[in-house]
Amino acid sequence: MKWIIVIVFVSVVVSSNAQREPSIPLSPLSFRQITRGLSPPPMGRSPVTSDIIIRHYSRNSTSPNSRRIGNIKQLLKEPSFDVNRPTVVYAHGYVEKVTDESVATVVSAYLRVGGYNLLVVDWSNIAFGNYIVVAKRLPATGEAVGIALSKLLKRGLSLKGLHLVGHSMGAHLVSYAARYLMARGYTVPRMTGLDPAYPGFYPPIVAPHMSPSDATFVDVIHTDGGYFGTPASTGHADFWPNGGTAKQPGCVSATIPLTNEDFCSHFRSWLLWSESVTGDALLARRCEDYDTFLRGDCQDEPLVFLGIRATPDLRGNYYLRTAAKPPYGLGLRGVS
């Protein structure tokens, strides 16, 4: 954890013209990340892969249908689960719960548009506690998810419509699941990383990081590069809104390290993803770097979409500007 604190401290002094006035905000949630990093698993949960829960969300229910990962085949008996429909598998990040805003926001976006089997990997039983310990256990956790998904694929789930999405550590988790599936003959069509976790993964000191070889198309949204999120291109198409680093527009310039406010830029990735599910104003252009983009030297590059509408032919680094509050998409103003 000492390495992480050093990295985060830099965020207190970095500034940009788009961020809010310097202040040290606090709320009842401010120290949640710190507390959970020192806490055992949520009550009633055990830190073993067999206690991972797959939660199926649908418009037909006010709460998800939940299954222990070993019983995932029971999903096939649910009337609202259609093996021919596209399936999204979402994995939350370190010390997060499915009741947190991050998961609730993503779930809400998908339920609004409909047409998906939406599965959330609830691995909060393993995600709590020491960061290094959790990271070391992540490959086995991802493999357990891969085993579960292979059971569904063997029983008719459409591989063509499978999309793995993960935030922070969850991005690496779904990459391990994809690698397990690939070793068994199932190549995942698309995998998305939302600000993949940086410390311990780049370079892969604690555990391997996600890579373009994990799926047919791998896209990544970077919003806190060099702090909690990786500063490295790690997909076929890497998107760098506002340069992809802290502080993102709307995030306060001065924060107490490791507080909820300090994660503002890191959390922006799932907010942008959720907005992309329901809207189409997050446009980007390929460019050499953000400074070149800001100078307008990439105006001849075609417009592309950040988020769910990104197409599998995209390759390279893409840039855009966003607003400081929802809706974040600026349309053409964000790329001109």
Side-chain angles (χ1 to χ4, degrees), residues 1-10 131-132 198-206 226-228 258:
M1 289 296 291
K2 290 183 179 179
W3 180 24
I4 300 170
I5 293 174
V6 171
I7 292 171
V8 175
F9 182 74
V10 180
Y131 180 94
I132 300 300
Y198 173 37
F201 294 94
Y202 299 86
I205 298 171
V206 180
Y227 299 99
F228 297 113
L258 296 176

Side-chain angles (χ1 to χ4, degrees), residues 147-282:
I147 292 171
L149 293 176
S150 69
K151 294 178 181 179
L152 296 181
L153 291 166
K154 288 177 182 177
R155 288 160 179 81
L157 180 69
S158 171
L159 175 63
K160 181 179 179 181
L162 184 60
H163 185 184
L164 308 185
V165 184
H167 170 243
S168 194
M169 266 199 196
H172 303 304
L173 187 156
V174 296
S175 78
Y176 305 142
R179 291 171 195 179
Y180 176 89
L181 291 173
M182 186 176 292
R184 271 102 190 132
Y186 300 107
T187 299
V188 173
R190 184 176 180 184
M191 187 178 81
T192 298
L194 306 180
D195 213 34
Y198 173 37
F201 294 94
Y202 299 86
I205 298 171
V206 180
H209 57 74
M210 66 177 296
S211 77
S213 62
D214 294 332
T216 302
F217 176 54
V218 177
D219 59 315
V220 182
I221 298 175
H222 301 267
T223 54
D224 197 22
Y227 299 99
F228 297 113
T230 177
S233 297
T234 194
H236 293 111
D238 288 75
F239 291 83
W240 306 85
N242 310 297
T245 61
K247 300 292 187 171
Q248 288 289 313
C251 294
V252 293
S253 59
T255 56
I256 298 175
L258 296 176
T259 57
N260 212 47
E261 293 75 22
D262 198 38
F263 284 87
C264 177
S265 295
H266 192 44
F267 291 165
R268 185 61 56 85
S269 58
W270 51 259
L271 284 165
L272 294 178
W273 180 261
S274 299
E275 186 171 309
S276 81
V277 173
T278 58
D280 59 1
L282 288 161

